[in-house]
């Protein structure tokens, strides 16, 4: 399984490169940001180029993983459908072909004949990623690829990616919005139980130097006694230390904000964009806990980051279940841990895979205990 982790890190870096190329190359960037108006407004494409960028990344990951691990190919799922309708009303299935030229020809049919954009995108898809990996060779995970499934979120926080704001972030602080919040998320889970076991997060826009944007990757493995992560667990703060920090969505319920404000104080109730990024903030110790009361995230948002939390001794719980049945006191809490193998049969579309009870992500059980204690009975 170390080979699967290394492959996922490479394909996530390829995905990050596609995301950067779509912003750097003028023909692609214009498609990314333009919105059709007037008589063209109802034409299916080019306004959906941002969706095509998502689909291309998703299908590239599916293609590369399936080539090396064919037993997983039918169990790789993502946010997007790969069916597109072009300006002529033709239905095109977006896939990664055997050669760059063939992929460019296919993309051109979706892009209404825009050969330059199709060629640039195909070049990025077929370009190998260069990545220096450390700590992955000695991992021994007693799992077979045939036991596993994969969730992909090709570009989490798409709106931040499209808007492209470049935020200046102080060391040790989270980024409330902007390109830094856009992430590539890949999660591997056990199909029989839904337990997340491998997570890969790639931040394509981590920092900028004179040559352009540079990315950063994070990974974690959690299965039985095997716990490994590319980042160190942040140091625990004393339980009595004031100012526990919680990160929320700015659209979170007012009742949740009001319940947590006394616990956090004015400066440590924080807001950020992107579900994946908010979980990454907990992983990196930029926030103690992430709370979301709505069922507005999905399995592809949480599976990868969840594995990193578990590798560091934390977890991610269904908030509604956690509030109903209690919370961990002095030990790891399994009640309500999110799983990734079962859909909500009563729902339709993407909602079948929603984390319907909301979620709470944490590293320290004592911090979780305090947050749940404040929220219980408040909403």
């Amino acid at each position: 399984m170390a080979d699967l982790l290394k492959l996922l890190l490479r394909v996530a870096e390829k995905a990050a490169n596609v995301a950067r190329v779509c912003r750097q190359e003028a023909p692609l960037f214009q498609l990314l940001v333009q919105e059709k108006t007037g008589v063209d407004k109802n034409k299916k494409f080019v306004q959906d180029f941002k969706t095509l960028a998502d689909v291309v990344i998703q299908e590239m990951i599916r293609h590369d993983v399936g080539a090396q691990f064919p037993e997983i190919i039918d169990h790789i799922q993502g946010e997007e459908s790969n069916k597109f309708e072009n300006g002529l009303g033709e239905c095109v299935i977006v896939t990664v072909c055997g050669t760059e030229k063939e992929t460019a020809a296919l993309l051109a049919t979706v892009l209404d004949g825009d050969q330059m954009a199709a060629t640039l995108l195909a070049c990025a898809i077929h370009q190998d990623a260069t990545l220096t990996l450390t700590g992955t060779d000695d991992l021994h995970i007693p799992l077979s690829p045939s036991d596993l499934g994969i969730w992909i979120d090709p570009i989490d926080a798409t709106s931040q990616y499209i808007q492209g704001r470049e935020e200046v972030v102080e060391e040790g602080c989270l980024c409330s919005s902007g390109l830094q919040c856009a992430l590539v998320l890949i999660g591997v889970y056990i199909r029989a139980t839904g337990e997340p076991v491998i997570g890969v997060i790639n931040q394509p826009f981590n920092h900028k130097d004179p040559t352009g944007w540079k990315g950063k990757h994070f990974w974690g493995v959690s299965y039985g006694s095997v716990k490994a992560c590319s980042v160190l667990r942040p140091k625990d703060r004393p339980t009595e230390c004031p100012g526990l920090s919680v990160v929320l969505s700015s659209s979170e319920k007012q009742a949740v904000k009001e319940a947590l404000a006394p616990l956090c104080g004015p400066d440590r109730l924080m807001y950020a964009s992107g579900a994946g990024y908010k979980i990454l903030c907990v992983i990196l110790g930029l926030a103690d806990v992430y709370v979301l009361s709505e069922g507005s995230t999905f399995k592809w948002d949480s599976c990868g980051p969840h594995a990193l939390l578990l590798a560091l001794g934390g977890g991610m719980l269904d908030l509604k279940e956690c509030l109903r049945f209690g919370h961990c006191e002095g030990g790891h809490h399994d009640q309500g841990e999110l799983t990734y193998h079962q859909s909500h049969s009563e729902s339709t579309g993407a909602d079948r895979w929603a984390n319907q009870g909301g979620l709470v992500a944490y590293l320290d059980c004592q911090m979780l205990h305090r947050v749940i204690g404040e929220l219980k009975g408040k909403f």
Side-chain angles (χ1 to χ4, degrees):
M1 285 299 93
D3 287 342
L4 176 59
L5 172 60
K6 287 188 277 190
L7 173 62
L8 294 178
L9 285 163
R10 287 197 299 273
V11 296
E13 181 60 22
K14 282 182 67 174
N17 186 53
V18 171
R20 287 188 290 263
V21 165
C22 285
R23 291 203 60 86
Q24 291 165 358
E25 296 288 352
L28 296 178
F29 180 70
Q30 290 304 316
L31 292 176
L32 192 67
V33 299
Q34 80 171 8
E35 292 289 342
K36 288 195 169 184
T37 57
V39 294
D40 289 334
K41 192 167 186 178
N42 293 322
K43 286 191 177 178
K44 191 76 173 181
F45 203 54
V46 175
Q47 68 198 37
D48 278 340
F49 181 77
K50 50 183 174 287
T51 308
L52 179 62
D54 270 355
V55 171
V56 160
I57 289 172
Q58 179 178 292
E59 294 307 309
M60 180 186 69
I61 294 171
R62 191 195 308 273
H63 172 272
D64 288 11
V65 173
Q68 190 167 331
F69 294 95
E71 57 269 66
I72 305 181
I73 188 69
D74 292 332
H75 302 281
I76 301 175
Q77 297 173 268
E79 180 179 5
E80 304 292 350
S81 166
N82 65 341
K83 293 182 180 180
F84 265 83
E85 186 178 309
N86 64 16
L88 299 175
E90 300 167 331
C91 183
V92 181
I93 305 296
V94 176
T95 59
V96 175
C97 303
T99 68
E100 184 179 321
K101 186 176 180 181
E102 290 171 326
T103 300
L106 175 68
L107 291 174
T109 64
V110 184
L111 288 162
D112 292 340
D114 190 334
Q115 296 289 344
M116 180 176 290
T119 299
L120 287 168
L121 200 50
C123 179
I125 292 166
H126 286 270
Q127 184 177 343
D128 285 332
T130 55
L131 198 62
T132 302
L133 302 177
T134 57
T136 57
D137 289 333
D138 298 329
L139 286 172
H140 299 287
I141 312 164
L143 285 169
S144 166
S146 60
D147 296 331
L148 304 175
I150 295 177
W151 280 110
I152 303 166
D153 191 344
I155 304 177
D156 188 48
T158 307
S159 63
Q160 300 301 313
Y161 172 64
I162 302 300
Q163 292 167 19
R165 288 196 302 274
E166 300 183 11
E167 302 286 337
V168 177
V169 186
E170 293 182 24
E171 186 72 26
C173 297
L174 60 75
C175 184
S176 61
S177 62
L179 281 170
Q180 291 96 324
C181 299
L183 306 176
V184 178
L185 306 173
I186 306 176
V188 181
Y189 64 95
I190 300 173
R191 296 210 310 268
T193 65
E195 175 189 355
V197 289
I198 299 174
V200 168
I201 301 173
N202 192 300
Q203 189 178 29
F205 306 96
N206 177 266
H207 63 279
K208 202 173 188 181
D209 68 15
T211 64
W213 280 101
K214 305 299 177 190
K216 188 171 184 177
H217 65 265
F218 312 89
W219 59 265
V221 172
S222 174
Y223 180 67
S225 61
V226 180
K227 305 284 184 184
C229 194
S230 63
V231 298
L232 295 175
R233 179 186 168 100
K235 289 183 179 179
D236 291 338
R237 292 190 290 113
T239 305
E240 65 276 8
C241 179
L244 178 151
S245 60
V246 176
V247 62
L248 305 171
S249 168
S250 59
S251 60
E252 183 54 80
K253 291 175 181 173
Q254 190 61 29
V256 173
K257 297 176 183 178
E258 290 175 358
L260 294 175
L263 184 65
C264 300
D267 300 324
R268 298 184 67 78
L269 188 59
M270 304 176 292
Y271 301 92
S273 298
Y277 179 72
K278 286 191 278 286
I279 305 168
L280 180 61
C281 288
V282 176
I283 292 165
L284 298 177
L286 301 176
D288 294 317
V289 178
Y290 164 39
V291 172
L292 177 68
S293 65
E294 300 284 353
S296 55
T297 65
F298 300 86
K299 301 306 181 187
W300 49 79
D301 295 312
S302 55
C303 186
H306 191 172
L308 275 79
L309 287 170
L310 291 171
L312 293 170
M316 197 174 335
L317 309 177
D318 180 300
L319 179 61
K320 189 179 292 184
E321 293 290 301
C322 202
L323 291 169
R324 182 181 301 158
F325 294 109
H327 40 276
C328 72
E329 301 191 37
H332 195 272
H333 176 71
D334 292 324
Q335 183 69 52
E337 198 82 40
L338 294 184
T339 56
Y340 296 90
H341 61 316
Q342 293 178 328
S343 64
H344 303 288
S345 57
E346 73 283 1
S347 300
T348 59
D351 287 340
R352 293 171 57 240
W353 298 106
N355 298 314
Q356 291 186 347
L359 61 84
V360 54
Y362 69 99
L363 285 180
D364 186 320
C365 268
Q366 293 302 321
M367 300 296 183
L368 173 67
H369 173 90
R370 294 169 66 188
V371 167
I372 295 302
E374 292 295 331
L375 291 176
K376 210 165 177 65
K378 301 290 178 59
F379 69 97

